[in-house]
Amino acid sequence: MTAIDPTAHLTAEQIEELGRELDAIRDEVIASRGEKDAAYIRKVISAQRKLEMASRGVLLFSFFPPAWLLGTAGLSVAKIMDNMEIGHNVLHGQWDWMRDPKIHSTTWEWDHVSPSDQWKHSHNELHHTYTNVIGKDNDLGYGIMRVDEDQKWHPFHLGQPLWNFINACFFEYGIAAYDLELGKNLHKRRRKNPEFRARAKDVGRKIRKQVLKDYVIHPLLSGPSFLTTLAATFTANLVRNIWSHSVIMCGHFPEGVQVFERRSIRNETRGQWYLRQMMGSANISGSKAMHFMTGNLSHQIEHHLFPDLPSNRYAEVAVKVRALFEKYELEYVTGPLPKQVFSAWRKVVRLSLPNKKPKAQKPGVKKPDHEQELVAA
């Protein structure tokens, strides 16, 4: 939706050739999946469960400040691992090829208030299909923010930095809300829809289960440490939510990431879909530990190109994908975590204000052949 299209120099033939080259990268990884990959995810799951159990054990003595700090830190990391490197990726079907019913997208349930089946619909089917398409992708601005200068500004948008901060603190509940598409279903007639009511009941049951586990059972098991364990669990959930929100914000919201109009995806080819994923995503650079703690969503570009590939393979894939960006003269948006978080939040604040002046389409800007065809259609 920017005046200058960063893909305007590409012909329709080049875009389809790019798609074929990306398909070849995917096929190579698919063909080489094996025991090493299976051992990786089993090791991660085992480590996460042991860390969570040990942390909850330490919190039995959380009335001692050192135990509270150690247990809270461990539980925070365990919850991040469960949501990011395990839950998110298992639910994408990245490990379904193992045929292990315990690590399969159809059976996995995560430490999250959003039921896995609803999350898979809103995330896998909608977000990954309509990445950064305004009005189609609920993950873009989480349905509560203005995400592009071409969107009409309303006074309500002045509050979007606050809405975004609140959403970060209670992110799992925000995800559950837009998995339900709560905004459009608040209308009385829609609320009576049997399908919506059934999904809302499922969310309610999952919330009760999570609250009972985190804020009743485990604190009660701590006996005299009830209140300190309660505070530790709340803190761990807060840390997990803010971390997850920050990582996901960095994946689609920093400066340089493109957003798209609905008309731009009419009759979209495989190559054009790939190109939209490339231009609508951003990466985070950093250490192996940082990549692991993001669930390898620090490789967001690669994840959006190949959402069903094992997450432990994204680092090797990234080298080849970046080479294609250079070959086709496209910008590979990446940067350290602090830079990307700052960029995303700066954009949130900037778009909460009205445009300084109306944006005019620059004359003489050449649209790529595929976009000319779409506009004509």
Side-chain angles (χ1 to χ4, degrees):
M1 291 182 70
T2 52
I4 300 177
D5 186 340
T7 68
H9 60 286
L10 298 177
T11 65
E13 291 76 17
Q14 286 177 311
I15 293 171
E16 295 315 305
E17 177 59 25
L18 170 63
R20 287 189 287 271
E21 292 184 81
L22 288 167
D23 277 336
I25 292 173
R26 180 179 184 277
D27 291 343
E28 184 179 352
V29 176
I30 292 291
S32 64
R33 292 178 307 192
E35 184 54 39
K36 185 177 179 180
D37 301 299
Y40 169 80
I41 190 60
R42 291 191 174 108
K43 182 178 179 180
V44 170
I45 292 172
S46 175
Q48 187 276 331
R49 290 174 176 171
K50 290 175 182 176
L51 178 59
E52 181 173 356
M53 289 178 63
S55 300
R56 292 193 182 279
V58 171
L59 288 174
L60 295 174
F61 309 96
S62 58
F63 51 82
F64 294 114
W68 189 91
L69 290 171
L70 182 61
T72 302
L75 187 59
S76 299
V77 172
K79 283 178 171 287
I80 289 171
M81 289 173 63
D82 180 272
N83 277 190
M84 305 297 282
E85 181 65 348
I86 302 174
H88 172 273
N89 296 328
V90 170
L91 293 177
H92 259 297
Q94 292 181 7
W95 308 99
D96 286 2
W97 58 273
M98 294 167 55
R99 301 292 190 267
D100 184 340
K102 295 180 180 179
I103 313 174
H104 200 277
S105 62
T106 59
T107 59
W108 192 268
E109 193 57 70
W110 56 351
D111 180 37
H112 203 284
V113 300
S114 184
S116 61
D117 59 337
Q118 293 192 30
W119 182 86
K120 284 188 291 185
H121 170 71
S122 65
H123 186 82
N124 297 358
E125 297 176 25
L126 298 181
H127 169 58
H128 276 267
T129 301
Y130 302 111
T131 305
N132 282 28
V133 177
I134 294 179
K136 298 286 285 185
D137 181 7
N138 279 345
D139 277 26
L140 184 60
Y142 313 119
I144 60 174
M145 294 192 296
R146 182 175 180 241
V147 296
D148 188 77
E149 290 89 344
D150 290 338
Q151 285 183 287
K152 185 176 180 180
W153 180 87
H154 296 283
F156 169 82
H157 292 124
L158 288 171
Q160 76 178 30
L162 176 61
W163 318 144
N164 196 42
F165 175 73
I166 294 172
N167 190 38
C169 294
F170 301 96
F171 193 43
E172 60 178 322
Y173 292 92
I175 290 175
Y178 66 72
D179 283 353
L180 277 173
E181 296 182 282
L182 197 58
K184 77 175 187 179
N185 285 305
L186 286 177
H187 189 278
K188 185 176 180 180
R189 185 175 60 186
R190 286 182 177 269
R191 290 202 308 270
K192 293 182 178 180
N193 181 285
E195 181 182 350
F196 171 73
R197 289 170 67 89
R199 291 191 294 117
K201 287 181 179 179
D202 287 342
V203 172
R205 281 192 290 268
K206 189 68 189 295
I207 290 175
R208 287 193 296 272
K209 179 179 178 181
Q210 291 296 113
V211 169
L212 184 65
K213 172 177 70 73
D214 276 348
Y215 300 121
V216 179
I217 295 176
H218 288 298
L220 282 175
L221 290 175
S222 296
S225 295
F226 176 86
L227 291 178
T228 50
T229 297
L230 188 70
T233 305
F234 177 82
T235 302
N237 281 330
L238 180 66
V239 170
R240 183 269 313 275
N241 287 338
I242 292 176
W243 175 259
S244 302
H245 178 272
S246 297
V247 170
I248 293 170
M249 281 272 290
C250 289
H252 295 288
F253 219 61
E255 300 289 353
V257 174
Q258 306 299 309
V259 295
F260 308 90
E261 296 176 329
R262 291 191 187 197
R263 67 187 179 94
S264 71
I265 63 171
R266 294 181 202 149
N267 304 315
E268 189 175 54
T269 66
R270 177 72 167 171
Q272 291 165 2
W273 181 87
Y274 269 138
L275 185 61
R276 177 160 55 84
Q277 307 310 310
M278 295 168 74
M279 306 312 296
S281 307
N283 281 9
I284 305 169
S285 59
S287 66
K288 289 184 178 180
M290 190 280 299
H291 292 312
F292 176 79
M293 290 302 292
T294 67
N296 278 290
L297 292 182
S298 48
H299 301 295
Q300 187 72 250
I301 295 170
E302 290 71 28
H303 173 62
H304 264 267
L305 290 171
F306 314 116
D308 60 345
L309 292 188
S311 58
N312 62 310
R313 306 295 292 274
Y314 285 145
E316 66 181 82
V317 167
V319 177
K320 299 175 182 179
V321 169
R322 191 160 190 169
L324 288 180
F325 270 82
E326 294 176 0
K327 176 181 177 179
Y328 289 94
E329 300 179 358
L330 300 169
E331 182 185 5
Y332 190 85
V333 180
T334 188
L337 181 63
K339 176 187 174 183
Q340 297 298 75
V341 170
F342 176 78
S343 177
W345 272 97
R346 180 174 62 185
K347 191 172 182 180
V348 169
V349 173
R350 175 168 61 80
L351 293 175
S352 71
L353 304 173
N355 298 339
K356 292 182 179 179
K357 58 181 179 180
K359 288 185 64 179
Q361 177 73 36
K362 295 183 180 181
V365 175
K366 176 183 177 295
K367 291 185 178 293
D369 294 344
H370 72 282
E371 189 169 335
Q372 291 178 15
E373 295 168 2
L374 293 178
V375 172

